Amino acid sequence: MFEKAKKYLDNNRPEKALPLLKKILRDGGDYKEVWANMGTAYRMLGDDHKAYDCLVKAADPLTPFTDNKFAQVYPIALNNLSLLAYTYENDDVAAELLHQALTEDPLYYDAIWNLANVRFRQYLSGNYDDLEKCFKLYEYRYKRAASPVLLKTKGKFIQWNGEPGVNLAILTEQGFGDQLMFGRYLKLAKSISNKFVVQCHERMKPIYEPEYQTCNDPGDLGEFTHAIGICSLGRIFNEIPPGDWLNEKYIPKPKDAKLDIGVTWSGNPDHVNDRYRSTTSNYFRDLSNFGNLYTLNPTESGTRGFTALKSGNWGETISELSKLDLVITVDTSIVHLCGSLGMPCWLVLALKNNDFRWGDSSCGFENKWYPSVKVFRNNGSWEEVFER
């Protein structure tokens, strides 16, 4: 029964897992592993108070494991408690919990990854000063349970660590938003390379071309010896360059009497935080009092009150953005596209923001990645943030 409950959690079905875990407890299964998984289920369901109580019970030294052994420290419970602290911007508490977990289990890669998110948000909020450490911790994304997927390649490459004069392939990883955010480092990498190519999906080629050679698989080209994932370029250069690296592709709309507003209220439903970051068209509809509304997501076409724009590939999307004065969107790749173009964009953050890159509430409307993006921080109410 316990393994079945865990499988439900792995498949993002906490509502199925919770009754099984409760039955195990009723049948005398008062164990750390059961409490920890109940805490995970409640957190996934949005009941953070019950999640906290379960995880505290799991972390209690007096609660045994299923083999009836005891331990002073249970890293899994501490890691999951850190996620709750992070959700509510208690980043010092989250970091301390993670350090405790890692003292017990230094190779707990998910905990190291979570510490990367904590330290990055602290850095971006002015509460931590070691950017190099942030980027080094960020490398542990490859070792965590849900590691990022690189596009497939037939090539055998040497890991690039900043050596000049090599034939360098940039490998695509993570989502389109990450590729856009870290695209600012391509110019730096190309400047110290001999030959340079960017691997990417067909849809992304208009983003990189003609400044950068692109390909589906650098292994097919046979001339590239070194490679690096695009999100590792920050570690090589240890800085945050200007965000508007695509500004030459953007032609601002001439000012006229009408305001044309592009909106996006939903993102990829498989995103880990989608239940909190996506919302409904209703909240955006009142913006029609201020101008004409256009949708930027192909799944939103046909929604009453909104005109759909073309979005076959990113080049087409850029052309469509030049018809708009402003974009207002939830946290999707459109934010990163607007920021990379230097286009005015208002970002409405999720009900529960777990993304380090926008900093904490002390940053107000500002963020360090994109000067053209204004951040509207969500205090747990879509109504309040849209009124603002």
Side-chain angles (χ1 to χ4, degrees):
M1 189 180 299
F2 179 70
E3 290 303 320
K4 187 175 182 180
K6 281 181 64 178
K7 189 172 182 179
Y8 277 130
L9 290 177
D10 291 340
N11 291 315
N12 200 28
R13 299 292 303 276
E15 73 284 354
K16 293 285 189 180
L18 197 56
L20 297 176
L21 294 166
K22 286 181 176 180
K23 185 176 189 315
I24 293 171
L25 279 178
R26 287 196 302 270
D27 293 343
D30 184 10
Y31 301 117
K32 284 183 179 294
E33 296 94 331
V34 178
W35 286 109
N37 281 278
M38 280 189 68
T40 297
Y42 277 123
R43 186 169 65 82
M44 292 171 72
L45 290 167
D47 194 334
D48 292 341
H49 291 292
K50 287 184 179 178
Y52 174 82
D53 290 341
C54 290
L55 292 170
V56 167
K57 181 70 174 176
D60 189 338
L62 298 178
T63 304
F65 288 102
T66 52
D67 61 5
N68 288 313
K69 293 181 180 178
F70 294 85
Q72 285 294 115
V73 178
Y74 184 28
I76 290 175
L78 295 176
N79 176 65
N80 291 348
L81 280 169
S82 80
L83 294 175
L84 286 177
Y86 179 79
T87 296
Y88 293 95
E89 297 190 353
N90 296 319
D91 288 343
D92 287 336
V93 173
E96 176 58 30
L97 288 165
L98 290 166
H99 281 302
Q100 290 178 34
L102 290 167
T103 298
E104 180 71 14
D105 183 1
L107 299 181
Y108 188 3
Y109 296 126
D110 278 12
I112 300 175
W113 166 249
N114 289 332
L115 183 60
N117 283 268
V118 172
R119 291 306 192 202
F120 244 131
R121 186 164 70 182
Q122 288 181 312
Y123 176 84
L124 297 167
S125 307
N127 300 317
Y128 187 70
D129 60 5
D130 194 343
L131 181 60
E132 183 179 8
K133 180 70 171 179
C134 292
F135 281 124
K136 285 181 177 178
L137 290 169
Y138 199 67
E139 291 297 291
Y140 281 88
R141 68 192 182 279
Y142 290 122
K143 292 182 177 291
R144 59 191 291 253
S147 60
V149 177
L150 291 164
L151 280 185
K152 291 182 179 179
T153 175
K154 305 181 190 75
K156 299 291 185 182
F157 302 106
I158 300 168
Q159 173 68 35
W160 188 59
N161 286 306
E163 306 92 328
V166 303
N167 292 356
L168 178 62
I170 304 300
L171 304 180
T172 298
E173 61 172 306
Q174 305 203 85
F176 291 130
D178 295 288
Q179 295 168 44
L180 287 162
M181 188 175 99
F182 285 94
R184 70 189 67 207
Y185 294 98
L186 294 177
K187 184 177 181 180
L188 296 173
K190 183 181 179 183
S191 71
I192 60 173
S193 302
N194 179 33
K195 292 185 177 180
F196 188 83
V197 70
V198 180
Q199 177 198 34
C200 66
H201 289 280
E202 196 70 28
R203 188 182 172 202
M204 286 289 283
K205 288 187 176 182
I207 293 289
Y208 302 118
E209 296 176 349
E211 185 172 358
Y212 306 106
Q213 178 188 352
T214 66
C215 67
N216 293 322
D217 184 353
D220 289 335
L221 304 179
E223 56 186 334
F224 293 92
T225 56
H226 292 65
I228 189 171
I230 192 169
C231 298
S232 290
L233 290 173
R235 174 180 62 82
I236 302 298
F237 297 103
N238 195 36
E239 60 176 289
I240 299 180
D244 59 343
W245 64 285
L246 295 175
N247 59 0
E248 293 183 358
K249 294 182 182 288
Y250 173 55
I251 302 173
K253 175 198 157 191
K255 299 295 182 184
D256 56 28
K258 64 179 181 178
L259 191 63
D260 293 309
I261 307 167
V263 303
T264 302
W265 55 81
S266 63
N268 182 353
D270 294 327
H271 187 276
V272 66
N273 199 41
D274 192 64
R275 72 172 68 202
Y276 295 117
R277 70 165 184 164
S278 290
T279 182
T280 67
S281 60
N282 293 335
Y283 291 109
F284 287 84
R285 193 166 278 115
D286 286 345
L287 298 173
S288 63
N289 295 326
F290 306 97
N292 303 316
L293 302 183
Y294 301 83
T295 65
L296 294 161
N297 188 324
T299 63
E300 298 164 2
S301 61
T303 304
R304 186 169 57 85
F306 302 85
T307 301
L309 297 177
K310 296 178 183 177
S311 56
N313 61 44
W314 287 102
E316 206 167 57
T317 301
I318 290 173
S319 297
E320 296 289 80
L321 289 176
S322 293
K323 301 175 183 178
L324 304 174
D325 297 283
L326 171 70
V327 169
I328 303 177
T329 177
V330 295
D331 192 359
T332 72
S333 55
I334 288 294
V335 176
H336 298 282
L337 179 59
C338 291
S340 298
L341 294 168
M343 178 183 182
C345 177
W346 292 3
L347 164 62
V348 182
L349 280 187
L351 287 171
K352 292 181 180 180
N353 177 36
N354 290 318
D355 198 324
F356 72 84
R357 74 197 76 206
W358 308 118
D360 64 23
S361 298
S362 69
C363 298
F365 292 119
E366 305 300 319
N367 75 93
K368 286 188 181 293
W369 296 100
Y370 305 111
S372 70
V373 173
K374 185 175 185 177
V375 181
F376 284 78
R377 300 182 188 274
N378 198 329
N379 296 321
S381 165
W382 289 120
E383 291 83 1
E384 188 275 336
V385 74
F386 273 92
E387 179 64 23
R388 195 150 31 90

